[in-house]
Amino acid sequence: MAKTLPTILVVDDEPHSVAAMRMALEDDFTVLEAGDAAEAWALMEEHWVQVVVSDQRMPGKTGIELLTEIRDRWPETVRIIVTGYTETNDMIQAINEAGIYQFITKPWHPDHLLMAVRNAARLFELNRDHERMTLEMRYLGSSASTKLDERRRMLQAGLGFDKVLRGPHSSLNATIQLARQFASFDVPVLIQGEAGTGKTDLARAMHYGSLRADRPFYELNCVGLPDDVLEVELFGIKRGAVQGLAQTKVGLLQKADRGTIFLNGVDALSPAMQIALLRVVTEGAYQPVGGRETLTSGARLITGAHRDLMDLMAEGTFRADLYYALAVTSLQVPPLRARQGDIALIAERLLHELAAAHGKPARGFSPAALEFLESYDWPGNLPELKNEVTRMLILAQQVTLGPEIISRHILMAAPGDEGADRTATLVGALEGTLKDRVEVMEMRILRETLTRLKWNKSRAAAELGLSRVGLRAKLDRYGIEPHVATEED
């Protein structure tokens, strides 16, 4: 789309002067022409004019008089006067009173005229931008507080307790109820639960449900970090403490001052780091690596542990004074196998998020697929479930994901209300006589094969080396039936 040229009005009673000015300006501007003040006024009424270039000496009204009236009616229009008179004091005073941007003396040069009009058009645009920005600043100034409050509410809604997906009868509900109460009290909180159960989401929700919601939230997983790295991350390091360090690095305790730090995996802390953390919790004091001064932090500390700290305390591997300092209040996050009613909700949300991220349409899971997902005990908790949903999305050929694309070890897991045994695929984990163990494995293999092959009995019998009659007998013996309408032949 072609850019619209600025509109310029040229006013002069001499046609050859108008023609000369038009030739000098028409490549850069849309040029309107007027022979006197009355004609110029009529054009101003009909067009949006950015710059007026007027001769001073004209019959009727002079250029100064015309431009003065234009200033009163259209003050944003930039005004230029062309005069052949000597610059007397009276002329300069008249120009000032009319608010003339510039005056050009005759004879004028085309390049001089073009430059003057270009600058005038640019001034017009700058003035318009200034007015727009002034209005915006007035509006922002009056509504900034309201907008900030609204953004905070949206942030808290998006990262708060509502983000922790669960069903109406979930075993997680009791934990969430406690977390809501603990959030508003500025005390340490210990969150315990297996890896991958959502402790970080819960800690973040507590932060955004607290009075510190407008301050930063940081998280750090201590598992696998050596002490020197952990010290730098938490306490920071002074310039010159190590060779090649050009500047001081700020630690999380300083970054999160008046905010919240979620320190996950505290059950993996060394004895030395336990002592350092105890000082932080009890005194709020720490020393940066390589520094001699003692700093203080006003950060709230929420900690997470994958193992029961009371058991570690009994074993002598975790300090009792640190445990009681961290566990002023404590929460227990149940594993995914104890939240069977939540699995379908979580899987559906993961599917829609992953489908949007990867640009592959997906409507949901079939009832049979959800039954298998809910029966499995998910030893890897939420990360394992996310991996499985991702894999199913990649393999899916239809918008509704069926059980045939579920991983084989999940299909072979024993169904039940309490979830499957995570060692179900290991023969050594089975109990009973040899005959009993063989029958259990045979039942699981039959169920997995038929599900994967969408209950095509001919294909299943061929894969397992059975006749159709033999396959039917085994299905009747073990009571194995399809979950939904299948491709039976």
Side-chain angles (χ1 to χ4, degrees):
M1 182 176 179
K3 182 179 178 181
T4 303
L5 297 176
T7 300
I8 307 300
L9 173 59
V10 174
V11 188
D12 198 316
D13 60 324
E14 297 181 7
H16 69 277
S17 295
V18 173
M21 283 191 275
R22 183 183 66 247
M23 290 182 61
L25 302 174
E26 62 185 355
D27 289 341
D28 295 82
F29 305 98
T30 298
V31 181
L32 304 176
E33 302 171 7
D36 54 32
E39 189 177 350
W41 191 267
L43 290 172
M44 289 292 296
E45 293 277 7
E46 297 177 1
H47 299 274
W48 186 46
V49 178
Q50 285 94 325
V51 181
V52 177
V53 181
S54 177
D55 186 34
Q56 164 61 8
R57 188 176 182 181
M58 295 185 298
K61 292 181 180 178
T62 64
I64 292 293
E65 293 171 339
L66 170 64
L67 296 180
T68 301
E69 293 178 354
I70 289 177
R71 179 198 61 186
D72 295 337
R73 177 71 180 275
W74 298 282
E76 72 276 8
T77 301
V78 182
R79 300 164 296 281
I80 297 176
I81 193 76
V82 180
T83 177
Y85 292 97
T86 305
E87 299 174 20
T88 64
N89 291 335
D90 292 341
M91 187 64 184
I92 294 174
Q93 182 180 359
I95 288 173
N96 291 336
E97 290 177 354
I100 304 300
Y101 166 68
Q102 188 173 354
F103 70 91
I104 300 174
T105 57
K106 295 180 180 179
W108 48 265
H109 191 279
D111 290 342
H112 181 205
L113 176 67
L114 179 59
M115 182 60 67
V117 176
R118 281 178 176 172
N119 290 339
R122 178 59 179 159
L123 177 62
F124 178 89
E125 291 298 326
L126 290 174
N127 287 336
R128 297 280 294 187
D129 290 343
H130 175 71
E131 292 176 2
R132 176 181 54 80
M133 292 176 66
T134 300
L135 290 174
E136 289 179 354
M137 290 303 295
R138 288 178 183 173
Y139 172 74
L140 290 173
S142 63
S143 62
S145 178
T146 302
K147 286 189 174 182
L148 181 59
D149 291 342
E150 181 64 23
R151 288 185 63 186
R152 286 175 181 169
R153 285 193 294 271
M154 292 176 63
L155 183 63
Q156 292 176 20
L159 299 174
F161 292 105
D162 292 339
K163 186 178 184 295
V164 184
L165 194 62
R166 59 201 183 280
H169 305 293
S170 172
S171 59
L172 187 59
N173 287 338
T175 302
I176 296 295
Q177 184 177 356
L178 276 176
R180 288 183 185 274
Q181 293 180 271
F182 295 160
S184 58
F185 287 84
D186 208 13
V187 295
V189 181
L190 172 64
I191 306 175
Q192 297 187 110
E194 295 178 8
T197 52
K199 295 189 291 295
T200 300
D201 287 341
L202 187 58
R204 185 181 289 108
M206 292 182 67
H207 168 74
Y208 287 109
S210 73
L211 297 177
R212 299 172 180 254
D214 59 340
R215 306 301 298 176
F217 172 86
Y218 292 96
E219 58 179 288
L220 178 64
N221 195 334
C222 304
V223 178
L225 289 182
D227 284 3
D228 54 348
V229 175
L230 191 54
E231 285 178 336
V232 171
E233 291 296 322
L234 271 179
F235 309 138
I237 184 170
K238 300 294 289 185
R239 180 177 59 184
V242 296
Q243 187 175 3
L245 183 65
Q247 59 185 6
T248 297
K249 179 179 178 180
V250 177
L252 290 184
L253 285 170
Q254 185 174 346
K255 290 181 181 178
D257 190 30
R258 293 186 293 166
T260 304
I261 298 176
F262 176 56
L263 199 61
N264 203 4
V266 293
D267 51 305
L269 291 178
S270 69
M273 285 305 302
Q274 290 183 35
I275 294 174
L277 184 59
L278 177 63
R279 188 184 182 198
V280 172
V281 180
T282 56
E283 304 174 18
Y286 65 96
Q287 283 185 327
V289 177
R292 296 182 179 179
E293 74 278 22
T294 297
L295 304 180
T296 58
S297 173
R300 181 187 188 182
L301 196 62
I302 300 177
T303 52
H306 304 322
R307 295 173 291 174
D308 192 321
L309 293 188
M310 292 196 71
D311 292 342
L312 298 181
M313 187 172 59
E315 296 171 4
T317 57
F318 199 86
R319 296 179 62 95
D321 49 2
L322 178 58
Y323 170 78
Y324 291 115
L326 297 177
V328 176
T329 54
S330 62
L331 298 168
Q332 187 70 38
V333 182
L336 200 54
R337 62 181 173 276
R339 300 171 54 191
Q340 190 178 39
D342 299 345
I343 291 175
L345 290 172
I346 298 172
E348 292 282 0
R349 174 181 282 186
L350 286 172
L351 178 61
H352 291 308
E353 290 177 351
L354 290 166
H358 295 287
K360 183 174 182 179
R363 184 179 302 159
F365 299 92
S366 70
L370 288 177
E371 183 175 339
F372 277 104
L373 295 179
E374 290 175 333
S375 297
Y376 185 58
D377 75 340
W378 302 104
N381 291 299
L382 294 172
E384 184 184 6
L385 177 58
K386 183 176 181 180
N387 289 348
E388 182 62 26
V389 174
T390 303
R391 178 184 174 277
M392 292 178 69
L393 177 65
I394 294 171
L395 297 177
Q397 300 298 316
Q398 299 176 342
V399 293
T400 300
L401 281 59
E404 67 279 356
I405 55 177
I406 295 177
S407 296
R408 298 183 70 171
H409 70 281
I410 296 177
L411 295 177
M412 290 180 66
D417 293 338
E418 300 299 325
D421 177 8
R422 71 183 63 188
T423 57
T425 57
L426 302 177
V427 177
L430 300 177
E431 298 179 353
T433 65
L434 176 62
K435 180 175 180 296
D436 293 337
R437 300 182 192 187
V438 170
E439 287 180 348
V440 170
M441 290 303 301
E442 184 176 53
M443 178 182 66
R444 294 178 182 174
I445 292 172
L446 287 168
R447 186 168 175 262
E448 180 273 328
T449 303
L450 285 162
T451 301
R452 177 167 43 84
L453 298 179
K454 298 183 180 181
W455 278 79
N456 186 310
K457 293 192 181 70
S458 296
R459 293 179 60 191
E463 180 176 315
L464 298 173
L466 300 171
S467 65
R468 282 181 55 85
V469 175
L471 177 62
R472 168 52 63 187
K474 289 183 179 294
L475 296 181
D476 293 340
R477 176 183 178 185
Y478 295 122
I480 300 175
E481 296 179 353
H483 295 79
V484 293
T486 63
E487 297 179 4
E488 281 191 75
D489 55 348

